[in-house]
Amino acid sequence: MFYNLSKLSFLLAPAEIKKKKVDKFSSTNFVTSLNLYRMASSFDKLCGPCEARHTTEKAAVWCIDCDDGLCLPCLEHHKVSKASNKHQTIPVSKYAEVESVSALIKLDCEEHNQKLTFFCQDHFSTACALCIPEKHKQCTSIKPIEQLAHNAKTSTELFDLEKGLKELSNTLAELNTDRQRNIEEIRDQRKNILAEIKSLRKQIDTYLDVLESDLLKQLECLSDQNISEIDKLLSKLKDKETQIKSLGESIHQIKETLSDVQVFLATKSVGEKLHEEQEWISALCDQEGAKESTLELSTDSQLTHLLSDLKHFGVIKVVRKTCQIKIGAWEQQRAQLNVPMPAAARDIDETKLELLHTIKFDNDSWIQDCVVVNDGRMIFTLGNTGKVLVYSSEGHIWKSINVCKSPYGLAVISTSTVAVTCLNDKTINIVNIDDGVVKQKIKVGKPCFGLSYHNTKLYVIVKGTGIVEFDLGGNLIRTISVDVASDECYLTSYKDRFCYTCYKQFIACCDSNGREIWRQGIADSGVAADNYGNYFAAHYREHTLNIISADGKKTKQLLTSNEGLNHPQGIFFDSNNNKLLVANRYKTAMLYRVI
C-alpha cells in the first residue's frame, strides 16, 4: 500500500539510503523495478472494489492510501466513508508517474503483517505496533511516521537524494568517458608498440644482412683465392706434362737412330733431366695450390647462444594504476550522518594480557616483524634468510615464501595479501600468501623499515627521508618529514596519526603532516595501536612491553623477560579479535588475548 506522497518521500529518503537499514535496494534493482512498473502501467487500471464484486470497470482515480483503483461510482462511496474520506486520490493517468517507486517502499511489516506506523531513530528502521514491545523496548526515539513525514517533500534528505543521484550520474558519465579515453590510449599504445616492434625487427634484419653480406664476401674471396692458386698450379703442370712427353718421345728416337755409345751417353743425360723434373714436381707439391683445400663455416658462438637462449622477442605488460575518478562524495556526506561514534578512550590501567599460544622457531631464525591476517594466520619476516613464514592460527608452520633480501616490516592488505619491506633491496614486496609468490615490487630507492597500511595507502619509514606514502600501484604520493634517527624503525598508524620507534632512541607520535605530538624514551622496537588509539610498544634492550596512552602522558608495563620477552621486535594488534602478537628476535613469539 502507498502512503501519500509526503510520506513516500520521507520513507524513500533516509530509510532506503542509510547503511544498516532494514529495506535495502540497489541502483540495479531500482532500474529493474522501474522498467517492470512502466510495462505494467501501459495497461488500463481496473477498479478494485468492482473487481472484488466480479465486475470489470476501468479506474478513473487511484487511491494512494489504499493502493487501489476506483471508478467514479466507487469514488463517491470512498469519499463519504469515515474510513477513507481523508485518503488522497490522484487521476489514474498520474499514477504511472509514482508507480515506478512503489517497489521501493514497504508499508507493511513482513513479520507481523501490520501497517508500519512508527520509525525508530535509534535503529533507523520502521516498525509496526507489534514490533515496539518486541524489538524496541529500550529505544527512546520512536516517533509516528505521520509526524516525521511532515514537510517530507521539502526535506533535506530528499534534496540530498536528488543531489546524490545527479552526482552518481555524473560519476558514471565521467567513468565512461575515462574508460573510453583509456580504450583510445590502448589502441594508440598498440600502434606505437607494433611500430616499435617492426622497427626493432628492421634494425635486427639490417644488422644481420650486413653480417651476412660480409660473410658472403669472405666466402667468395677465399674460394676465388684457392681456385686461382689451383688454376696456376694446373697451368704449370700442363707445361711440365708437355716437356715430359717430349722427353719420352726423344728416348724412342734415341733407340732407333743412335749408336750404343750415343745411347749410353744420351741415357745419362736424360736420367739427369728426369731427376730434375722429379725434384721440381716434389717442390711443386709443397706449394699452397697443391694442398687439399676445404671450405668450412664456423658460426659465432654468441649467435649460437642467442638462438638457444633468446626465448622472447619481447614481453607485453599491462601496468594498472588506481582509478582516479572520485566516487562517493555525496555518500561520504550522507555517511557522516550515520557514522558510529568512535570508541571512548580506555584507561590503559585496565589493559591486561592472557597468553594463548607460544610459537617456536628454529634456533637460527631471526624474526624481524609479524602480523595477523583476518583468518587468524600469523606471518613473520626472517631478516637473515630472505623468507616470510606463514603459520596457522594454531601456531603451526604452514608455508615459507621467498622474498627479496633482508625482509623487515610487514603490513596486512587483505586476508591473502601482505606487504613486506626489504631493507637491502630497497623495495616493498606485495606477497600473495595463498599462492606463496611475490606479485609486485614497489621501488623505494632507499633502505626501508617499518610499514603500515591505512585507507588503501602504504606508509613506510625510509632512512634519511621520513614516512613515505605509496598507493598500491607503486606510485609515490607524498613524503612526510619526520626524525628517522636510526637504521631500524617500526611504524603503526591510527586514524590521522602515526606512531614510530627508532632503535636505541625513542618512540614518537605525530599527525598526518609529521608534526610531533609527543615523544618518549620508553620504547625503541615494535609498535602497534589498539582500538582506542593507545600504543603497545616494545623496548628491545630492556626486554619489556609497555602500553602508552593515546596522548602519551601515561604508560604501563605489561610484559618483561619474566614472561618470556627476549629482545622483542615485531608487535601486531589484531583489532578484529582483540589479540596481540609479540615476536622475539630469536626462537619464540607469543599470542595474547587483550582483556
Side-chain angles (χ1 to χ4, degrees), residues 171-365:
T171 299
L172 290 174
E174 187 180 354
L175 185 58
N176 180 71
T177 301
D178 181 73
R179 294 299 81 211
Q180 292 294 339
R181 173 198 56 76
N182 196 199
I183 288 174
E184 293 303 317
E185 285 184 349
I186 290 172
R187 286 172 177 162
D188 290 340
Q189 290 160 3
R190 181 169 59 190
K191 290 179 182 178
N192 294 336
I193 292 174
L194 181 60
E196 188 176 347
I197 291 172
K198 288 184 177 297
S199 174
L200 180 60
R201 174 61 184 269
K202 187 176 180 179
Q203 293 177 42
I204 294 173
D205 288 345
T206 301
Y207 186 66
L208 289 177
D209 286 343
V210 171
L211 295 180
E212 181 187 23
S213 177
D214 291 344
L215 188 60
L216 291 176
K217 288 178 180 178
Q218 185 183 11
L219 174 63
E220 184 176 359
C221 178
L222 291 177
S223 61
D224 288 347
Q225 179 182 339
N226 278 268
I227 291 173
S228 176
E229 290 174 351
I230 294 172
D231 282 341
K232 289 179 181 179
L233 184 139
L234 289 174
S235 179
K236 291 179 181 179
L237 288 178
K238 187 176 180 181
D239 293 342
K240 190 58 65 176
E241 184 180 1
T242 302
Q243 294 176 12
I244 293 174
K245 184 177 180 182
S246 175
L247 190 61
E249 290 176 352
S250 64
I251 293 176
H252 177 71
Q253 291 175 355
I254 289 171
K255 289 192 298 182
E256 294 291 332
T257 60
L258 298 180
S259 64
D260 289 340
V261 173
Q262 290 174 325
V263 169
F264 175 78
L265 295 174
T267 300
K268 296 299 181 180
S269 177
V270 171
E272 291 176 0
K273 187 66 175 177
L274 178 61
H275 180 71
E276 290 177 0
E277 297 299 339
Q278 286 177 337
E279 287 182 347
W280 182 86
I281 291 175
S282 178
L284 187 68
C285 288
D286 291 333
Q287 294 180 9
E288 294 295 328
K291 295 179 181 178
E292 182 69 20
S293 297
T294 303
L295 295 178
E296 295 179 349
L297 174 64
S298 177
T299 56
D300 193 312
S301 61
Q302 293 184 8
L303 181 61
T304 305
H305 292 156
L306 177 67
L307 295 175
S308 61
D309 297 343
L310 185 64
K311 304 299 181 183
H312 309 285
F313 196 81
V315 177
I316 307 298
K317 297 190 298 181
V318 177
V319 179
R320 299 190 183 276
K321 296 182 180 180
T322 305
C323 179
Q324 300 300 312
I325 303 300
K326 301 298 182 182
I327 299 174
W330 166 80
E331 185 177 337
Q332 291 174 7
Q333 295 173 5
R334 297 287 300 170
Q336 289 174 1
L337 302 176
N338 198 40
V339 171
M341 293 296 291
R346 182 184 183 185
D347 189 345
I348 62 173
D349 287 336
E350 299 175 3
T351 302
K352 297 179 181 179
L353 301 179
E354 176 188 353
L355 181 63
L356 299 175
H357 297 299
T358 297
I359 301 97
K360 295 183 179 180
F361 305 98
D362 295 337
N363 290 336
D364 59 350
S365 296

Side-chain angles (χ1 to χ4, degrees), residues 42 76 92 104 113 118 130 156 187 205-206 236 299 458 505 528 579:
S42 64
E76 294 303 318
V92 73
L104 306 180
N113 200 28
F118 297 95
L130 296 179
T156 303
R187 286 172 177 162
D205 288 345
T206 301
K236 291 179 181 179
T299 56
L458 285 168
Q505 298 288 334
K579 295 178 181 178

Side-chain angles (χ1 to χ4, degrees), residues 33-53:
S33 301
L34 181 62
N35 291 335
L36 290 173
Y37 275 98
R38 283 176 176 169
M39 291 172 61
S41 63
S42 64
F43 299 95
D44 291 332
K45 300 299 180 183
L46 299 178
C47 175
C50 289
E51 278 191 297
R53 295 194 295 268

Side-chain angles (χ1 to χ4, degrees), residues 62-75:
W62 192 270
C63 177
I64 293 177
D65 295 86
C66 296
D67 192 22
D68 213 350
L70 299 170
C71 63
L72 292 177
C74 291
L75 175 61

Side-chain angles (χ1 to χ4, degrees), residues 404-421:
C404 290
K405 295 180 181 179
S406 304
Y408 194 96
L410 278 165
V412 177
I413 295 176
S414 69
T415 303
S416 61
T417 307
V418 298
V420 186
T421 57

